Amino acid sequence: MVAARHLNTAGVRLVPGVGFASACAAEELEGLIRETLAAARAVLPAQRVAGIEARQLAAPAHKRDSHMLATVARGLELALVFPSAAALTDCDGALRTESARARAVAGVGSAAEAAALAAAGKGARLLLPRRLSPRASCAVAVVETFGEFEEQ
């Protein structure tokens, strides 16, 4: 008798990444993240929407001490992740936008895009390039979490 093999369900993990000025208010950043995540979900195939999850919010390590960012993450129920400057730089070739300010401050073309990709990890791709508000940027990386075959 041959054992049946079934594929566990696959999902999609979204990781928003942000960059922001010190003058940015929590309401502005949270609104931008919510809008960007909604847009990200809208570009994915309809049949995949049920398997989408966002559990993390990524920002460059130099933003680690931002109380405003911590407040926003709590409000969105997302865990903060702070990729290092080296991890951001490793993603620079995959970025879609270029900001002189981000290049000067974070060493990459887009702090939001690099943070999202670095936090999402291996196999991630940029789903949405950075979107801007007056004092912030937000991008979304996606990684598909493929299931494994199991014998039954």
Side-chain angles (χ1 to χ4, degrees), residues 109-152:
S110 168
E113 291 177 12
L117 284 168
K122 186 177 178 180
R125 65 181 172 82
L126 199 57
L127 181 63
L128 286 182
R130 70 185 169 118
R131 291 177 168 227
L132 302 172
S133 69
R135 288 168 292 279
S137 61
C138 181
V140 177
V142 62
V143 75
E144 299 210 22
T145 54
F146 294 102
E148 296 178 3
F149 283 99
E150 60 184 32
E151 292 191 25
Q152 296 193 342

